[in-house]
């Protein structure tokens, strides 16, 4: 069975890159649905042919892009899915043994697409952060007075299950800000009220959900509430 054949690790990883560059990534599910070759099938066929012709070891160095994908897989931050954890184990074993089972290629190939998607997402977030809607409010860590309007409040289950309220505000220019308080705290401001507050900007960030720049405030003190605009 081709799936049980051992293929050279370096040659197989480079062959996956070549197949995706030439045909795009094709999952087994997509291949079955459309009657076409999956990426894993193409690589297995190529490696079987090269192995039979004695050409499997002609290039024994990972390409730069393949090294980038492997490095990304190993060092991807945060808690990862079981699939990512399993593929990390497959790669670790392959690096140690020098070979990849034919059946493992179907596990490894999708990682190239996940890496490409992640790189696009990272660039997109960076671009949107630069070109995001609105500017940041105030200078970080510099306490000041800010005239804003309350546009929304919502309750959340905060750190260590401490209920909190998020207060969302905008300034006259439409720039967005937010701050936290104990849940349902009365700060003397109601929805739609315009008010002058003394606060410290402690975070300038891009909100991926709202696609806008946002300033996080701390140490809020309402100096004057002008009420809702008429």
């Amino acid at each position: 069975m081709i799936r049980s054949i051992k293929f050279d690790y370096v040659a197989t990883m480079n062959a996956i890159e070549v197949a995706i560059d030439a045909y795009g990534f094709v999952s087994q599910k997509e291949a079955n649905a459309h009657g076409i070759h999956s990426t894993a099938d193409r690589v297995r066929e190529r490696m079987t042919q090269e192995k039979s012709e004695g050409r499997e070891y002609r290039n024994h160095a990972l390409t730069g892009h393949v090294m980038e994908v492997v490095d990304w897989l190993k060092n991807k931050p945060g808690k990862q899915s079981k699939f990512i954890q399993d593929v990390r184990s497959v790669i670790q074993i392959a690096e140690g043994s020098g070979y990849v089972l034919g059946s493992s290629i179907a596990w490894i190939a999708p990682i190239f697409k996940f890496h490409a998607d992640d790189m696009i997402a990272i660039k997109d977030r960076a671009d949107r952060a630069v070109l995001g809607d609105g500017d940041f409010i105030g200078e970080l860590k510099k306490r000041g007075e800010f005239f804003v309007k309350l546009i929304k409040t919502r309750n959340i289950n905060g750190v260590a299950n401490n209920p909190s309220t998020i207060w969302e505000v905008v300034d006259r220019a439409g720039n967005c800000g937010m701050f936290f308080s104990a849940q349902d705290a009365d700060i003397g401001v109601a929805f739609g009220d315009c008010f002058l507050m003394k606060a410290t900007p402690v975070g300038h960030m891009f909100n991926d959900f709202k696609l806008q720049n946002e300033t996080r405030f701390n140490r809020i003190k309402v100096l004057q509430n002008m009420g809702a605009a008429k």
Side-chain angles (χ1 to χ4, degrees), residues 11-228:
T12 302
M13 295 295 286
N14 290 343
I16 293 172
E17 178 189 21
V18 170
I20 292 175
D21 283 347
Y23 303 101
F25 174 74
V26 181
S27 67
Q28 195 63 56
K29 182 178 180 181
E30 184 181 1
N32 292 340
H34 299 284
I36 57 178
H37 289 292
S38 70
T39 297
D41 286 339
R42 289 187 184 278
V43 173
R44 279 191 288 260
E45 290 176 5
R46 171 174 174 164
M47 293 308 300
T48 300
Q49 181 178 351
E50 291 193 357
K51 192 178 187 72
S52 68
E53 297 173 355
R55 298 188 294 116
E56 187 178 14
Y57 303 99
R58 71 188 187 285
N59 184 357
H60 213 66
L62 294 175
T63 69
H65 178 249
V66 173
M67 291 176 65
E68 181 182 320
V69 172
V70 172
D71 184 65
W72 168 86
L73 173 66
K74 291 179 177 178
N75 300 295
K76 188 170 170 56
K79 186 176 181 180
Q80 302 302 318
S81 67
K82 186 176 184 304
F83 178 79
I84 292 292
Q85 294 176 38
D86 288 345
V87 179
R88 281 176 174 170
S89 297
V90 170
I91 292 294
Q92 184 178 13
I93 293 170
E95 288 179 329
S97 66
Y99 68 82
V100 174
L101 284 173
S103 58
S104 297
I105 296 174
W107 286 76
I108 299 171
I111 293 302
F112 284 73
K113 182 178 187 304
F114 294 163
H115 168 264
D117 291 345
D118 202 31
M119 294 302 100
I120 291 171
I122 290 172
K123 183 179 184 303
D124 187 47
R125 285 196 297 270
D127 290 345
R128 287 183 295 171
V130 172
L131 303 173
D133 293 336
D135 294 323
F136 296 120
I137 305 173
E139 183 179 336
L140 282 179
K141 309 297 184 182
K142 185 174 181 180
R143 193 161 178 78
E145 296 183 1
F146 305 95
F147 187 75
V148 295
K149 177 180 179 179
L150 180 63
I151 59 171
K152 185 178 181 180
T153 61
R154 56 191 173 95
N155 292 332
I156 62 169
N157 207 11
V159 178
N161 291 323
N162 292 322
S164 303
T165 296
I166 297 179
W167 304 72
E168 298 182 19
V169 298
V170 294
D171 66 8
R172 285 190 175 99
N175 304 314
C176 296
M178 55 81 69
F179 55 88
F180 295 92
S181 75
Q183 192 167 104
D184 299 324
D186 184 4
I187 65 170
V189 175
F191 173 78
D193 283 353
C194 298
F195 61 100
L196 181 66
M197 68 177 184
K198 192 164 189 175
T200 304
V202 294
H204 285 165
M205 62 211 76
F206 182 77
N207 189 310
D208 284 308
F209 180 74
K210 298 178 181 176
L211 305 184
Q212 63 190 19
N213 292 321
E214 188 173 70
T215 300
R216 180 165 64 88
F217 293 101
N218 199 359
R219 298 173 59 207
I220 309 301
K221 181 179 180 181
V222 176
L223 301 178
Q224 186 178 0
N225 186 352
M226 284 73 168

